[in-house]
Amino acid sequence: MASRLYRDAAIVLRTYRLGESDRIVVFLTENHGKVRAVAKGIRKTRSRFGGRLEPLSYVNVQLHRGSSLDVVSQVETIDASSAVYGDLDAMTEASAVLEAVDRLVPDQEPVPQTFRMLLGVRRTLIERPSPLVVPAFLWKLLAAEGVRPELDQCVGCGADESADHPFVAFDTVRGGVQCRSCRTGGTIGADALALLRDLLGGKLGAVLDAAHDPSGQRLGDPIVNEVADLATRSFEAHVEKRLRSLGIFERHDGA
Ligand SMILES: [Zn+2]
């Protein structure tokens, strides 16, 4: 009989209370995908898990396969996340990142690429938190799902951008920029569009450097907010669309 114990590297996505003294911990593991497991006795004062299973914790975990939920048997910290806990903004950003992964990733389906992306964004959140980290991560998650917004041609008429044919809107459902005559989505400014192109072009590092450089041009909050809002709405549109297609699939399947 195969061993019911397994080990994996994991990042804690969230935890919730179970009964008097236990918690269910949702992990994104490196090789086993998203796993829900019970940490028994974790809410007792002298729990053997200590504070090692907080959201964003990066740990080596040993799990015991159960019939419905797995059970956490050992935890070793690989890298503590305490730097983030003192910083309210970084904590908010971390929550948004963890929630997005939790919503997007199905249970027990290995997603090593998403794990690596989460590990990377976790490092960025610890070392140089910024309001741009979450939108950049959401776009990366979407890109990994094969969803990439169209930024170079109007999604209505297919025309390129030019001085007398500027892109003025972004439609999250159609997934791209629009010119004035095709416009159905919300407004997007030229600066926000430029920032979005940088983020999607993999230039988050350079953008963060520029934002930290006192001599460089600082990114105004309205532009960052615009891009963040667009990322959130595009993410929501994608999750909704996927849930809908899943619903149709299940109906056919059950008939
Ligand atoms: Zn157009």
Side-chain angles (χ1 to χ4, degrees):
M1 184 180 149
S3 170
R4 297 180 66 192
L5 276 182
Y6 65 101
R7 298 182 67 89
D8 209 340
I11 295 170
V12 176
L13 296 180
R14 62 182 287 218
T15 75
Y16 44 98
R17 297 160 75 129
L18 179 70
E20 282 292 298
S21 55
D22 305 341
R23 267 185 186 279
I24 290 176
V25 182
V26 183
F27 296 100
L28 186 70
T29 67
E30 187 170 15
N31 301 307
H32 297 81
K34 188 168 82 176
V35 170
R36 290 165 204 280
V38 183
K40 288 189 172 151
I42 192 173
R43 287 162 57 211
K44 291 180 181 156
T45 348
R46 284 184 299 169
S47 161
R48 63 204 167 101
F49 300 121
R52 278 169 288 169
L53 290 175
E54 297 295 326
L56 204 67
S57 292
Y58 179 30
V59 294
N60 259 319
V61 65
Q62 182 176 287
L63 297 154
H64 191 266
R65 236 181 267 283
S67 51
S68 57
L69 286 166
D70 293 357
V71 178
V72 181
S73 58
Q74 272 179 36
V75 183
E76 293 155 17
T77 299
I78 299 175
D79 183 32
S81 307
S82 38
V84 169
Y85 299 143
D87 181 334
L88 192 61
D89 287 340
M91 273 178 69
T92 308
E93 286 153 19
S95 306
V97 159
L98 296 173
E99 191 195 325
V101 171
D102 189 23
R103 288 180 61 197
L104 200 62
V105 173
D107 282 8
Q108 290 176 338
E109 186 180 296
V111 283
Q113 188 194 359
T114 307
F115 180 81
R116 280 193 297 278
M117 280 166 47
L118 181 58
L119 199 55
V121 73
R122 180 184 176 281
R123 185 106 312 272
T124 310
L125 284 168
I126 291 171
E127 287 172 359
R128 46 176 182 177
S130 147
L132 279 172
V133 174
V134 178
F137 181 72
L138 292 181
W139 289 120
K140 271 182 86 168
L141 271 182
L142 288 174
E145 295 261 307
V147 179
R148 213 184 152 76
E150 175 58 63
L151 300 180
D152 300 320
Q153 288 175 340
C154 170
V155 292
C157 62
D160 292 344
E161 187 170 36
S162 65
D164 50 1
H165 185 258
F167 297 148
V168 296
F170 188 102
D171 190 315
T172 49
V173 177
R174 302 183 72 180
V177 287
Q178 295 173 317
C179 72
R180 210 166 268 138
S181 12
C182 300
R183 171 175 188 166
T184 51
T187 307
I188 187 168
D191 291 336
L193 183 53
L195 177 57
L196 190 53
R197 284 184 173 129
D198 280 350
L199 291 183
L200 286 164
K203 291 187 191 151
L204 175 63
V207 171
L208 290 181
D209 284 344
H212 278 76
D213 179 3
S215 65
Q217 193 170 358
R218 298 190 70 84
L219 286 164
D221 283 346
I223 302 168
V224 173
N225 289 344
E226 215 179 316
V227 170
D229 181 54
L230 216 53
T232 308
R233 286 195 288 122
S234 298
F235 184 81
E236 294 301 329
H238 174 66
V239 171
E240 256 173 50
K241 196 163 130 192
R242 212 185 48 178
L243 287 178
R244 265 201 310 275
S245 67
L246 218 61
I248 289 162
F249 178 75
E250 276 165 3
R251 255 203 316 281
H252 282 287
D253 202 41

PDB file of all heavy atoms in Angstrom, residues 70-107:
ATOM      1  N   ASP A  70      -6.712  16.321   4.175  1.00  0.00           N
ATOM      2  CA  ASP A  70      -5.421  15.850   4.649  1.00  0.00           C
ATOM      3  C   ASP A  70      -5.159  16.441   6.036  1.00  0.00           C
ATOM      4  O   ASP A  70      -5.817  17.400   6.442  1.00  0.00           O
ATOM      5  CB  ASP A  70      -4.317  16.273   3.670  1.00  0.00           C
ATOM      6  CG  ASP A  70      -4.469  15.557   2.319  1.00  0.00           C
ATOM      7  OD1 ASP A  70      -5.387  14.727   2.215  1.00  0.00           O
ATOM      8  OD2 ASP A  70      -3.683  15.835   1.408  1.00  0.00           O
ATOM      9  N   VAL A  71      -4.186  15.880   6.732  1.00  0.00           N
ATOM     10  CA  VAL A  71      -3.862  16.363   8.071  1.00  0.00           C
ATOM     11  C   VAL A  71      -2.390  16.779   8.097  1.00  0.00           C
ATOM     12  O   VAL A  71      -1.520  16.067   7.594  1.00  0.00           O
ATOM     13  CB  VAL A  71      -4.118  15.259   9.132  1.00  0.00           C
ATOM     14  CG1 VAL A  71      -3.730  15.738  10.523  1.00  0.00           C
ATOM     15  CG2 VAL A  71      -5.586  14.836   9.104  1.00  0.00           C
ATOM     16  N   VAL A  72      -2.126  17.976   8.643  1.00  0.00           N
ATOM     17  CA  VAL A  72      -0.748  18.466   8.733  1.00  0.00           C
ATOM     18  C   VAL A  72      -0.050  17.707   9.851  1.00  0.00           C
ATOM     19  O   VAL A  72      -0.539  17.675  10.980  1.00  0.00           O
ATOM     20  CB  VAL A  72      -0.720  19.969   9.081  1.00  0.00           C
ATOM     21  CG1 VAL A  72       0.719  20.479   9.142  1.00  0.00           C
ATOM     22  CG2 VAL A  72      -1.529  20.778   8.072  1.00  0.00           C
ATOM     23  N   SER A  73       1.095  17.049   9.537  1.00  0.00           N
ATOM     24  CA  SER A  73       1.789  16.380  10.632  1.00  0.00           C
ATOM     25  C   SER A  73       3.086  17.097  11.024  1.00  0.00           C
ATOM     26  O   SER A  73       3.489  17.037  12.168  1.00  0.00           O
ATOM     27  CB  SER A  73       2.011  14.905  10.336  1.00  0.00           C
ATOM     28  OG  SER A  73       2.744  14.747   9.159  1.00  0.00           O
ATOM     29  N   GLN A  74       3.751  17.770  10.092  1.00  0.00           N
ATOM     30  CA  GLN A  74       4.959  18.520  10.454  1.00  0.00           C
ATOM     31  C   GLN A  74       5.073  19.782   9.605  1.00  0.00           C
ATOM     32  O   GLN A  74       4.684  19.765   8.441  1.00  0.00           O
ATOM     33  CB  GLN A  74       6.202  17.692  10.147  1.00  0.00           C
ATOM     34  CG  GLN A  74       6.649  16.777  11.273  1.00  0.00           C
ATOM     35  CD  GLN A  74       7.876  15.987  10.837  1.00  0.00           C
ATOM     36  OE1 GLN A  74       8.739  16.499  10.119  1.00  0.00           O
ATOM     37  NE2 GLN A  74       7.935  14.728  11.248  1.00  0.00           N
ATOM     38  N   VAL A  75       5.660  20.812  10.193  1.00  0.00           N
ATOM     39  CA  VAL A  75       5.883  22.053   9.445  1.00  0.00           C
ATOM     40  C   VAL A  75       7.256  22.610   9.790  1.00  0.00           C
ATOM     41  O   VAL A  75       7.611  22.707  10.956  1.00  0.00           O
ATOM     42  CB  VAL A  75       4.854  23.144   9.829  1.00  0.00           C
ATOM     43  CG1 VAL A  75       5.071  24.385   8.996  1.00  0.00           C
ATOM     44  CG2 VAL A  75       3.438  22.651   9.680  1.00  0.00           C
ATOM     45  N   GLU A  76       8.046  22.925   8.772  1.00  0.00           N
ATOM     46  CA  GLU A  76       9.301  23.658   8.990  1.00  0.00           C
ATOM     47  C   GLU A  76       9.237  24.925   8.158  1.00  0.00           C
ATOM     48  O   GLU A  76       8.860  24.891   6.993  1.00  0.00           O
ATOM     49  CB  GLU A  76      10.503  22.853   8.477  1.00  0.00           C
ATOM     50  CG  GLU A  76      10.791  21.594   9.220  1.00  0.00           C
ATOM     51  CD  GLU A  76      11.535  20.594   8.323  1.00  0.00           C
ATOM     52  OE1 GLU A  76      12.082  21.011   7.271  1.00  0.00           O
ATOM     53  OE2 GLU A  76      11.535  19.409   8.686  1.00  0.00           O
ATOM     54  N   THR A  77       9.627  26.034   8.783  1.00  0.00           N
ATOM     55  CA  THR A  77       9.631  27.295   8.043  1.00  0.00           C
ATOM     56  C   THR A  77      10.810  27.325   7.075  1.00  0.00           C
ATOM     57  O   THR A  77      11.937  27.021   7.456  1.00  0.00           O
ATOM     58  CB  THR A  77       9.756  28.469   9.038  1.00  0.00           C
ATOM     59  OG1 THR A  77       8.626  28.425   9.904  1.00  0.00           O
ATOM     60  CG2 THR A  77       9.793  29.805   8.316  1.00  0.00           C
ATOM     61  N   ILE A  78      10.560  27.667   5.826  1.00  0.00           N
ATOM     62  CA  ILE A  78      11.652  27.903   4.870  1.00  0.00           C
ATOM     63  C   ILE A  78      12.001  29.383   4.928  1.00  0.00           C
ATOM     64  O   ILE A  78      13.146  29.771   4.994  1.00  0.00           O
ATOM     65  CB  ILE A  78      11.247  27.521   3.423  1.00  0.00           C
ATOM     66  CG1 ILE A  78      10.901  26.037   3.344  1.00  0.00           C
ATOM     67  CG2 ILE A  78      12.372  27.864   2.455  1.00  0.00           C
ATOM     68  CD1 ILE A  78      10.367  25.589   1.986  1.00  0.00           C
ATOM     69  N   ASP A  79      10.977  30.213   4.916  1.00  0.00           N
ATOM     70  CA  ASP A  79      11.210  31.655   4.956  1.00  0.00           C
ATOM     71  C   ASP A  79      10.006  32.303   5.651  1.00  0.00           C
ATOM     72  O   ASP A  79       8.871  32.121   5.217  1.00  0.00           O
ATOM     73  CB  ASP A  79      11.368  32.171   3.523  1.00  0.00           C
ATOM     74  CG  ASP A  79      11.693  33.653   3.479  1.00  0.00           C
ATOM     75  OD1 ASP A  79      12.358  34.146   4.414  1.00  0.00           O
ATOM     76  OD2 ASP A  79      11.272  34.319   2.519  1.00  0.00           O
ATOM     77  N   ALA A  80      10.278  33.005   6.728  1.00  0.00           N
ATOM     78  CA  ALA A  80       9.195  33.631   7.492  1.00  0.00           C
ATOM     79  C   ALA A  80       8.679  34.850   6.739  1.00  0.00           C
ATOM     80  O   ALA A  80       9.393  35.461   5.949  1.00  0.00           O
ATOM     81  CB  ALA A  80       9.685  34.043   8.872  1.00  0.00           C
ATOM     82  N   SER A  81       7.440  35.206   6.989  1.00  0.00           N
ATOM     83  CA  SER A  81       6.834  36.348   6.301  1.00  0.00           C
ATOM     84  C   SER A  81       6.637  37.524   7.242  1.00  0.00           C
ATOM     85  O   SER A  81       5.881  38.440   6.933  1.00  0.00           O
ATOM     86  CB  SER A  81       5.485  35.940   5.716  1.00  0.00           C
ATOM     87  OG  SER A  81       5.626  34.806   4.921  1.00  0.00           O
ATOM     88  N   SER A  82       7.339  37.497   8.378  1.00  0.00           N
ATOM     89  CA  SER A  82       7.067  38.513   9.399  1.00  0.00           C
ATOM     90  C   SER A  82       7.280  39.945   8.913  1.00  0.00           C
ATOM     91  O   SER A  82       6.649  40.868   9.412  1.00  0.00           O
ATOM     92  CB  SER A  82       7.904  38.236  10.648  1.00  0.00           C
ATOM     93  OG  SER A  82       9.178  37.780  10.288  1.00  0.00           O
ATOM     94  N   ALA A  83       8.172  40.125   7.906  1.00  0.00           N
ATOM     95  CA  ALA A  83       8.426  41.479   7.386  1.00  0.00           C
ATOM     96  C   ALA A  83       7.126  42.114   6.889  1.00  0.00           C
ATOM     97  O   ALA A  83       6.924  43.316   7.001  1.00  0.00           O
ATOM     98  CB  ALA A  83       9.437  41.430   6.252  1.00  0.00           C
ATOM     99  N   VAL A  84       6.246  41.288   6.346  1.00  0.00           N
ATOM    100  CA  VAL A  84       5.011  41.812   5.769  1.00  0.00           C
ATOM    101  C   VAL A  84       3.976  42.131   6.852  1.00  0.00           C
ATOM    102  O   VAL A  84       3.183  43.062   6.708  1.00  0.00           O
ATOM    103  CB  VAL A  84       4.448  40.799   4.735  1.00  0.00           C
ATOM    104  CG1 VAL A  84       3.042  41.146   4.311  1.00  0.00           C
ATOM    105  CG2 VAL A  84       5.367  40.739   3.519  1.00  0.00           C
ATOM    106  N   TYR A  85       4.012  41.378   7.967  1.00  0.00           N
ATOM    107  CA  TYR A  85       2.952  41.511   8.956  1.00  0.00           C
ATOM    108  C   TYR A  85       2.896  42.888   9.623  1.00  0.00           C
ATOM    109  O   TYR A  85       1.854  43.300  10.104  1.00  0.00           O
ATOM    110  CB  TYR A  85       3.045  40.408  10.020  1.00  0.00           C
ATOM    111  CG  TYR A  85       2.902  39.025   9.443  1.00  0.00           C
ATOM    112  CD1 TYR A  85       3.642  37.958   9.937  1.00  0.00           C
ATOM    113  CD2 TYR A  85       2.030  38.794   8.387  1.00  0.00           C
ATOM    114  CE1 TYR A  85       3.519  36.689   9.397  1.00  0.00           C
ATOM    115  CE2 TYR A  85       1.920  37.530   7.837  1.00  0.00           C
ATOM    116  CZ  TYR A  85       2.660  36.480   8.342  1.00  0.00           C
ATOM    117  OH  TYR A  85       2.540  35.232   7.793  1.00  0.00           O
ATOM    118  N   GLY A  86       4.034  43.594   9.649  1.00  0.00           N
ATOM    119  CA  GLY A  86       4.032  44.898  10.287  1.00  0.00           C
ATOM    120  C   GLY A  86       3.577  46.021   9.359  1.00  0.00           C
ATOM    121  O   GLY A  86       3.435  47.156   9.777  1.00  0.00           O
ATOM    122  N   ASP A  87       3.394  45.708   8.085  1.00  0.00           N
ATOM    123  CA  ASP A  87       3.145  46.740   7.081  1.00  0.00           C
ATOM    124  C   ASP A  87       1.737  46.542   6.517  1.00  0.00           C
ATOM    125  O   ASP A  87       1.475  45.593   5.781  1.00  0.00           O
ATOM    126  CB  ASP A  87       4.210  46.597   5.978  1.00  0.00           C
ATOM    127  CG  ASP A  87       4.065  47.635   4.871  1.00  0.00           C
ATOM    128  OD1 ASP A  87       2.927  48.134   4.656  1.00  0.00           O
ATOM    129  OD2 ASP A  87       5.072  47.934   4.217  1.00  0.00           O
ATOM    130  N   LEU A  88       0.849  47.440   6.883  1.00  0.00           N
ATOM    131  CA  LEU A  88      -0.562  47.272   6.534  1.00  0.00           C
ATOM    132  C   LEU A  88      -0.776  47.200   5.021  1.00  0.00           C
ATOM    133  O   LEU A  88      -1.540  46.369   4.535  1.00  0.00           O
ATOM    134  CB  LEU A  88      -1.390  48.409   7.143  1.00  0.00           C
ATOM    135  CG  LEU A  88      -2.901  48.198   7.109  1.00  0.00           C
ATOM    136  CD1 LEU A  88      -3.310  46.968   7.897  1.00  0.00           C
ATOM    137  CD2 LEU A  88      -3.623  49.427   7.654  1.00  0.00           C
ATOM    138  N   ASP A  89      -0.080  48.081   4.278  1.00  0.00           N
ATOM    139  CA  ASP A  89      -0.243  48.073   2.817  1.00  0.00           C
ATOM    140  C   ASP A  89       0.226  46.749   2.226  1.00  0.00           C
ATOM    141  O   ASP A  89      -0.448  46.155   1.390  1.00  0.00           O
ATOM    142  CB  ASP A  89       0.566  49.213   2.179  1.00  0.00           C
ATOM    143  CG  ASP A  89      -0.086  50.567   2.438  1.00  0.00           C
ATOM    144  OD1 ASP A  89      -1.289  50.582   2.752  1.00  0.00           O
ATOM    145  OD2 ASP A  89       0.619  51.582   2.341  1.00  0.00           O
ATOM    146  N   ALA A  90       1.404  46.317   2.684  1.00  0.00           N
ATOM    147  CA  ALA A  90       1.953  45.056   2.164  1.00  0.00           C
ATOM    148  C   ALA A  90       1.035  43.898   2.524  1.00  0.00           C
ATOM    149  O   ALA A  90       0.852  42.967   1.735  1.00  0.00           O
ATOM    150  CB  ALA A  90       3.352  44.816   2.716  1.00  0.00           C
ATOM    151  N   MET A  91       0.415  43.951   3.704  1.00  0.00           N
ATOM    152  CA  MET A  91      -0.506  42.888   4.108  1.00  0.00           C
ATOM    153  C   MET A  91      -1.748  42.862   3.232  1.00  0.00           C
ATOM    154  O   MET A  91      -2.237  41.803   2.850  1.00  0.00           O
ATOM    155  CB  MET A  91      -0.921  43.064   5.574  1.00  0.00           C
ATOM    156  CG  MET A  91       0.052  42.405   6.523  1.00  0.00           C
ATOM    157  SD  MET A  91      -0.427  42.670   8.245  1.00  0.00           S
ATOM    158  CE  MET A  91      -1.897  41.675   8.357  1.00  0.00           C
ATOM    159  N   THR A  92      -2.248  44.066   2.918  1.00  0.00           N
ATOM    160  CA  THR A  92      -3.415  44.151   2.029  1.00  0.00           C
ATOM    161  C   THR A  92      -3.068  43.591   0.658  1.00  0.00           C
ATOM    162  O   THR A  92      -3.854  42.849   0.049  1.00  0.00           O
ATOM    163  CB  THR A  92      -3.854  45.624   1.895  1.00  0.00           C
ATOM    164  OG1 THR A  92      -4.006  46.158   3.215  1.00  0.00           O
ATOM    165  CG2 THR A  92      -5.151  45.755   1.154  1.00  0.00           C
ATOM    166  N   GLU A  93      -1.876  43.955   0.172  1.00  0.00           N
ATOM    167  CA  GLU A  93      -1.440  43.460  -1.139  1.00  0.00           C
ATOM    168  C   GLU A  93      -1.264  41.941  -1.102  1.00  0.00           C
ATOM    169  O   GLU A  93      -1.689  41.234  -2.028  1.00  0.00           O
ATOM    170  CB  GLU A  93      -0.136  44.150  -1.554  1.00  0.00           C
ATOM    171  CG  GLU A  93      -0.381  45.589  -1.987  1.00  0.00           C
ATOM    172  CD  GLU A  93       0.834  46.508  -1.792  1.00  0.00           C
ATOM    173  OE1 GLU A  93       1.961  46.004  -1.665  1.00  0.00           O
ATOM    174  OE2 GLU A  93       0.624  47.739  -1.762  1.00  0.00           O
ATOM    175  N   ALA A  94      -0.679  41.436  -0.007  1.00  0.00           N
ATOM    176  CA  ALA A  94      -0.482  39.984   0.124  1.00  0.00           C
ATOM    177  C   ALA A  94      -1.834  39.274   0.125  1.00  0.00           C
ATOM    178  O   ALA A  94      -2.005  38.252  -0.549  1.00  0.00           O
ATOM    179  CB  ALA A  94       0.294  39.669   1.397  1.00  0.00           C
ATOM    180  N   SER A  95      -2.820  39.826   0.855  1.00  0.00           N
ATOM    181  CA  SER A  95      -4.149  39.194   0.908  1.00  0.00           C
ATOM    182  C   SER A  95      -4.756  39.111  -0.481  1.00  0.00           C
ATOM    183  O   SER A  95      -5.365  38.101  -0.845  1.00  0.00           O
ATOM    184  CB  SER A  95      -5.108  39.986   1.792  1.00  0.00           C
ATOM    185  OG  SER A  95      -4.552  40.172   3.046  1.00  0.00           O
ATOM    186  N   ALA A  96      -4.622  40.192  -1.259  1.00  0.00           N
ATOM    187  CA  ALA A  96      -5.202  40.216  -2.605  1.00  0.00           C
ATOM    188  C   ALA A  96      -4.556  39.148  -3.488  1.00  0.00           C
ATOM    189  O   ALA A  96      -5.239  38.455  -4.247  1.00  0.00           O
ATOM    190  CB  ALA A  96      -5.030  41.602  -3.218  1.00  0.00           C
ATOM    191  N   VAL A  97      -3.240  39.005  -3.381  1.00  0.00           N
ATOM    192  CA  VAL A  97      -2.506  38.018  -4.179  1.00  0.00           C
ATOM    193  C   VAL A  97      -2.932  36.597  -3.789  1.00  0.00           C
ATOM    194  O   VAL A  97      -3.236  35.758  -4.646  1.00  0.00           O
ATOM    195  CB  VAL A  97      -0.975  38.217  -3.955  1.00  0.00           C
ATOM    196  CG1 VAL A  97      -0.201  36.968  -4.324  1.00  0.00           C
ATOM    197  CG2 VAL A  97      -0.473  39.422  -4.743  1.00  0.00           C
ATOM    198  N   LEU A  98      -2.988  36.344  -2.475  1.00  0.00           N
ATOM    199  CA  LEU A  98      -3.322  34.996  -1.998  1.00  0.00           C
ATOM    200  C   LEU A  98      -4.758  34.634  -2.372  1.00  0.00           C
ATOM    201  O   LEU A  98      -5.057  33.515  -2.765  1.00  0.00           O
ATOM    202  CB  LEU A  98      -3.121  34.904  -0.479  1.00  0.00           C
ATOM    203  CG  LEU A  98      -1.670  35.085  -0.005  1.00  0.00           C
ATOM    204  CD1 LEU A  98      -1.606  35.156   1.523  1.00  0.00           C
ATOM    205  CD2 LEU A  98      -0.769  33.957  -0.512  1.00  0.00           C
ATOM    206  N   GLU A  99      -5.653  35.620  -2.253  1.00  0.00           N
ATOM    207  CA  GLU A  99      -7.064  35.368  -2.579  1.00  0.00           C
ATOM    208  C   GLU A  99      -7.226  35.049  -4.073  1.00  0.00           C
ATOM    209  O   GLU A  99      -7.988  34.151  -4.451  1.00  0.00           O
ATOM    210  CB  GLU A  99      -7.911  36.591  -2.204  1.00  0.00           C
ATOM    211  CG  GLU A  99      -9.402  36.283  -2.268  1.00  0.00           C
ATOM    212  CD  GLU A  99     -10.266  37.534  -2.259  1.00  0.00           C
ATOM    213  OE1 GLU A  99      -9.883  38.520  -1.586  1.00  0.00           O
ATOM    214  OE2 GLU A  99     -11.317  37.515  -2.928  1.00  0.00           O
ATOM    215  N   ALA A 100      -6.491  35.791  -4.903  1.00  0.00           N
ATOM    216  CA  ALA A 100      -6.586  35.557  -6.356  1.00  0.00           C
ATOM    217  C   ALA A 100      -6.147  34.133  -6.695  1.00  0.00           C
ATOM    218  O   ALA A 100      -6.811  33.444  -7.474  1.00  0.00           O
ATOM    219  CB  ALA A 100      -5.734  36.585  -7.103  1.00  0.00           C
ATOM    220  N   VAL A 101      -5.046  33.696  -6.094  1.00  0.00           N
ATOM    221  CA  VAL A 101      -4.557  32.338  -6.368  1.00  0.00           C
ATOM    222  C   VAL A 101      -5.565  31.314  -5.872  1.00  0.00           C
ATOM    223  O   VAL A 101      -5.896  30.355  -6.570  1.00  0.00           O
ATOM    224  CB  VAL A 101      -3.176  32.112  -5.700  1.00  0.00           C
ATOM    225  CG1 VAL A 101      -2.763  30.649  -5.802  1.00  0.00           C
ATOM    226  CG2 VAL A 101      -2.128  33.006  -6.346  1.00  0.00           C
ATOM    227  N   ASP A 102      -6.100  31.552  -4.675  1.00  0.00           N
ATOM    228  CA  ASP A 102      -7.069  30.614  -4.096  1.00  0.00           C
ATOM    229  C   ASP A 102      -8.290  30.478  -5.002  1.00  0.00           C
ATOM    230  O   ASP A 102      -8.813  29.387  -5.203  1.00  0.00           O
ATOM    231  CB  ASP A 102      -7.468  31.118  -2.697  1.00  0.00           C
ATOM    232  CG  ASP A 102      -8.295  30.090  -1.936  1.00  0.00           C
ATOM    233  OD1 ASP A 102      -8.205  28.891  -2.268  1.00  0.00           O
ATOM    234  OD2 ASP A 102      -9.028  30.484  -1.015  1.00  0.00           O
ATOM    235  N   ARG A 103      -8.736  31.589  -5.574  1.00  0.00           N
ATOM    236  CA  ARG A 103      -9.934  31.540  -6.415  1.00  0.00           C
ATOM    237  C   ARG A 103      -9.666  30.898  -7.771  1.00  0.00           C
ATOM    238  O   ARG A 103     -10.546  30.298  -8.366  1.00  0.00           O
ATOM    239  CB  ARG A 103     -10.488  32.954  -6.619  1.00  0.00           C
ATOM    240  CG  ARG A 103     -11.137  33.482  -5.340  1.00  0.00           C
ATOM    241  CD  ARG A 103     -11.668  34.872  -5.538  1.00  0.00           C
ATOM    242  NE  ARG A 103     -12.688  34.925  -6.562  1.00  0.00           N
ATOM    243  CZ  ARG A 103     -13.078  36.041  -7.153  1.00  0.00           C
ATOM    244  NH1 ARG A 103     -12.531  37.188  -6.816  1.00  0.00           N
ATOM    245  NH2 ARG A 103     -14.021  36.024  -8.061  1.00  0.00           N
ATOM    246  N   LEU A 104      -8.462  31.081  -8.274  1.00  0.00           N
ATOM    247  CA  LEU A 104      -8.168  30.625  -9.631  1.00  0.00           C
ATOM    248  C   LEU A 104      -7.757  29.152  -9.701  1.00  0.00           C
ATOM    249  O   LEU A 104      -8.079  28.461 -10.663  1.00  0.00           O
ATOM    250  CB  LEU A 104      -7.051  31.506 -10.210  1.00  0.00           C
ATOM    251  CG  LEU A 104      -6.925  31.528 -11.716  1.00  0.00           C
ATOM    252  CD1 LEU A 104      -8.201  32.093 -12.323  1.00  0.00           C
ATOM    253  CD2 LEU A 104      -5.728  32.360 -12.131  1.00  0.00           C
ATOM    254  N   VAL A 105      -7.038  28.694  -8.681  1.00  0.00           N
ATOM    255  CA  VAL A 105      -6.452  27.354  -8.755  1.00  0.00           C
ATOM    256  C   VAL A 105      -7.424  26.306  -8.212  1.00  0.00           C
ATOM    257  O   VAL A 105      -7.937  26.452  -7.116  1.00  0.00           O
ATOM    258  CB  VAL A 105      -5.122  27.334  -7.937  1.00  0.00           C
ATOM    259  CG1 VAL A 105      -4.575  25.925  -7.843  1.00  0.00           C
ATOM    260  CG2 VAL A 105      -4.105  28.270  -8.560  1.00  0.00           C
ATOM    261  N   PRO A 106      -7.711  25.259  -8.994  1.00  0.00           N
ATOM    262  CA  PRO A 106      -8.578  24.190  -8.491  1.00  0.00           C
ATOM    263  C   PRO A 106      -7.820  23.313  -7.489  1.00  0.00           C
ATOM    264  O   PRO A 106      -6.596  23.329  -7.454  1.00  0.00           O
ATOM    265  CB  PRO A 106      -8.917  23.395  -9.753  1.00  0.00           C
ATOM    266  CG  PRO A 106      -7.798  23.662 -10.686  1.00  0.00           C
ATOM    267  CD  PRO A 106      -7.238  25.012 -10.360  1.00  0.00           C
ATOM    268  N   ASP A 107      -8.555  22.558  -6.681  1.00  0.00           N
ATOM    269  CA  ASP A 107      -7.928  21.686  -5.690  1.00  0.00           C
ATOM    270  C   ASP A 107      -7.144  20.555  -6.355  1.00  0.00           C
ATOM    271  O   ASP A 107      -7.592  19.998  -7.361  1.00  0.00           O
ATOM    272  CB  ASP A 107      -8.997  21.076  -4.782  1.00  0.00           C
ATOM    273  CG  ASP A 107      -9.494  22.063  -3.726  1.00  0.00           C
ATOM    274  OD1 ASP A 107      -9.121  23.247  -3.803  1.00  0.00           O
ATOM    275  OD2 ASP A 107     -10.255  21.639  -2.839  1.00  0.00           O
TER     276      ASP A 107
END
